[in-house]
Amino acid sequence: MKIYNLLLLLFAVALCKAQITLRAEDFPNPADTFQLEAWLNPAKPTLTPDNLWNFANLGMPTDRYQVVFNEEDLDFFKSAGIDVYRSTTKDFNANFFYYLDLEFDLNEYGLQERGIYVPLQRYSLSPYTGNTLDSLIIQTQGYLYNTSVDYLLFPMSYKKSWSSAGRRAVNFNLTVNAFGLNNIPAQHVWYTLRKDTVISYGIMQIMTPEGVSRKYDVLVDQIETHTIDSFYLAGSPAPPVLLNNFGLVQGQKTNFGNRINFYRKDLFYYFASYYYGDRAFNAQPYEFFTCLNGAQSNTSSVRDSHDKFSFTVFPTLLQSDQYLNLLVAGAKYDMCIYTLMDIEGRTLKKGILENGILHQVESTVFSSSGLYIVTIQDNTGKYITHEKIQKY
C-alpha cells in the first residue's frame, strides 16, 4: 500500500508544471530597447494556475512598439544607485499631458521607481483660454522620492502580494491673464498607488520572427495602479474656478494602468501583458502585448551580443529650424537601420544609415515639441543602441 501511494504521488508531481521563483539575477540587462507586438481587443484571458498559454496563433499583430529603458547618464541619479530611466508622460486631464523620466533601481530586493526627472517644457494654454499669451512653463527639475514604488519585489512566487504608494510633485509657472496670473509658481502633486498580486503560473509560448518560441515557465502578476492628483497655486490649493476652466478637480484619479503581466527568467521586461487601463479585471482588455527580446524559437536561438561602434546624434536639443543629424562610423556593418519614435513608441520615420555618411532628418518629421527616441539596428533588425532627443 505504501508503494502504491508513493507511485500515485510521483505520478501527480510529474503532471504538475514547476512553480518558478524569480529573483534579481533573473532580470538582467535593464538598459535595452524592447520589441513589442500588440493586438487590440483581445479575448478575456484564462488565468487559472498551472496553465499553458499558447500565444503563437494570434495572427498578424495590430501594431508594433518599441519601449526604451535608457542607461542612467546623470551623476546625481547614478550615485544613488539608479540603473535606468524610462521616458513617459503624466496626465493633467484627458487632453493634456507633459513629459518626464521615471528613474529605476534594480537591486536584490526588487525593481523600484525611486526618482523623477522633468525636462524643460513650454505649453501654450490658448486652446483652453483663447489667449495666445497664456502659458504653462515647466522648469527642468529632478529628485529622489522619500518613498519608492515597488514594481517587482523579490523573491517573486505564486500568491505573493505587495502594495506601495509614493508622492510626486512637479513645479511649473502659470500665466492666465483672465485670472490675473502672471508667471505664478504652481505645483502638480500626485500619489501613485500600486498593488501587485502573483495570481498564477504556468508555461507560455509566443510567435517569434524565427517561428514558435520554446516553452517558458512564467509567473503572472496582476497590477492595479492609478494616481490621485492635486493642484496648488502660490503654495495654496488652486481655486476651483481656475481648475474648472481646465477640466481639473482636486483629488482626481488619472493614469490608470491596470495590467496582467507574464514574467519569465532572463528578460527584464514582461514576456506578455494584457492592458486593462481603467477597466476591471473581469472586463475585456484593451490590448495584448508580447515581447520578442531574447525569445528563442524551437529551431534557433537569438544572440544578444552587439558589436561596439560609434553613433552620433546632433543636436540632441533640437530647435524648430534645425535638421537632426545622424552618423554611424567604425561599425562592421556597411549600413544600419534607424527608427525615429515619439515618446509613445509610434514610428515617425525609418531609414538607412550608411557607414561614415552623414544623414539628415528634416524638422517637419517632429509633430510637436517633446521627447523623441532614435534607435539603431543592424541590417538584420537586431537592436544596437539608441539616443534621446528633446524637440523645442
Side-chain angles (χ1 to χ4, degrees):
M1 182 62 69
K2 289 182 179 180
I3 294 177
Y4 176 74
N5 289 338
L6 179 60
L7 289 174
L8 284 178
L9 178 60
L10 291 174
F11 180 72
V13 170
L15 291 178
C16 292
K17 303 177 182 70
Q19 296 185 34
I20 61 171
T21 298
L22 297 177
R23 299 177 173 83
E25 57 267 25
D26 298 318
F27 291 87
N29 304 322
D32 206 345
T33 295
F34 297 93
Q35 310 291 338
L36 306 181
E37 294 187 334
W39 291 262
L40 289 173
N41 303 314
K44 294 181 181 179
T46 300
L47 298 169
T48 52
D50 198 17
N51 212 326
L52 172 61
W53 293 278
N54 187 341
F55 297 130
N57 300 308
L58 298 177
M60 290 295 295
T62 308
D63 211 339
R64 292 180 171 88
Y65 300 92
Q66 292 180 318
V67 173
V68 181
F69 278 79
N70 302 273
E71 184 176 358
E72 184 54 55
D73 52 8
L74 296 178
D75 289 339
F76 172 77
F77 290 117
K78 289 169 66 175
S79 63
I82 300 298
D83 299 298
V84 291
Y85 66 88
R86 179 185 175 185
S87 300
T88 185
T89 60
K90 178 68 184 82
D91 293 342
F92 263 117
N93 57 34
N95 302 309
F96 181 72
F97 58 82
Y98 56 91
Y99 298 99
L100 51 82
D101 294 343
L102 298 178
E103 309 286 341
F104 292 94
D105 177 15
L106 177 63
N107 55 58
E108 61 182 307
Y109 304 106
L111 175 66
Q112 300 167 332
E113 180 197 324
R114 293 187 51 216
I116 189 173
Y117 173 82
V118 187
L120 174 66
Q121 296 163 73
R122 299 182 177 92
Y123 298 99
S124 171
L125 296 180
S126 58
Y128 296 93
T129 66
N131 189 333
T132 58
L133 298 178
D134 293 344
S135 65
L136 187 154
I137 300 175
I138 303 175
Q139 301 296 337
T140 302
Q141 55 200 283
Y143 57 90
L144 295 170
Y145 305 146
N146 291 326
T147 56
S148 302
V149 172
D150 297 319
Y151 284 58
L152 302 172
L153 202 61
F154 304 135
M156 281 179 62
S157 56
Y158 177 47
K159 293 188 176 180
K160 182 167 185 174
S161 181
W162 63 94
S163 298
S164 55
R167 182 183 186 272
R168 318 304 181 225
V170 170
N171 299 314
F172 59 94
N173 284 30
L174 192 63
T175 297
V176 183
N177 287 274
F179 287 88
L181 304 178
N182 184 16
N183 207 36
I184 301 300
Q187 193 174 58
H188 180 197
V189 176
W190 72 93
Y191 286 85
T192 296
L193 307 178
R194 179 177 174 122
K195 180 181 180 181
D196 290 71
T197 306
V198 182
I199 61 171
S200 190
Y201 65 92
I203 292 175
M204 183 176 143
Q205 290 179 284
I206 67 170
M207 180 61 73
T208 77
E210 291 80 25
V212 179
S213 77
R214 70 175 181 84
K215 295 178 180 179
Y216 286 91
D217 293 314
V218 293
L219 286 179
V220 187
D221 183 18
Q222 178 178 286
I223 304 162
E224 304 171 66
T225 182
H226 66 275
T227 70
I228 300 176
D229 300 8
S230 299
F231 304 90
Y232 294 86
L233 186 66
S236 299
V241 63
L242 175 63
L243 295 178
N244 290 340
N245 198 67
F246 294 98
L248 307 174
V249 295
Q250 302 286 16
Q252 67 183 23
K253 295 182 179 181
T254 59
N255 291 89
F256 285 87
N258 292 346
R259 281 185 176 272
I260 291 177
N261 286 351
F262 297 76
Y263 292 107
R264 68 170 175 85
K265 292 185 177 182
D266 300 321
L267 179 64
F268 171 73
Y269 208 52
Y270 58 66
F271 192 28
S273 179
Y274 285 97
Y275 175 66
Y276 292 80
D278 57 354
R279 291 177 177 173
F281 290 108
N282 59 0
Q284 182 184 16
Y286 284 108
E287 203 162 5
F288 176 72
F289 301 83
T290 62
C291 181
L292 302 179
N293 289 53
Q296 297 182 1
S297 74
N298 285 323
T299 58
S300 65
S301 63
V302 177
R303 293 171 294 180
D304 289 326
S305 61
H306 306 311
D307 292 300
K308 292 184 178 180
F309 79 125
S310 171
F311 173 47
T312 304
V313 178
F314 62 96
T316 54
L317 301 178
L318 187 68
Q319 304 297 326
S320 296
D321 58 346
Q322 292 179 305
Y323 283 94
L324 178 67
N325 299 279
L326 307 175
L327 178 66
V328 297
K332 72 173 185 179
Y333 314 107
D334 292 331
M335 66 91 170
C336 295
I337 304 166
Y338 79 88
T339 304
L340 180 65
M341 301 175 294
D342 63 17
I343 199 66
E344 299 299 319
R346 293 182 289 259
T347 297
L348 304 179
K349 190 175 180 64
K350 193 169 186 176
I352 301 299
L353 297 180
E354 295 184 64
N355 195 357
I357 298 178
L358 182 68
H359 183 85
Q360 292 187 316
V361 179
E362 62 276 13
S363 59
T364 54
V365 170
F366 298 88
S367 55
S368 62
S369 61
L371 292 171
Y372 294 84
I373 301 291
V374 58
T375 65
I376 298 297
Q377 298 162 290
D378 66 20
N379 53 12
T380 69
K382 185 67 175 176
Y383 165 79
I384 301 174
T385 189
H386 64 267
E387 186 66 57
K388 184 171 67 173
I389 303 155
Q390 176 73 42
K391 170 66 169 57
Y392 291 102

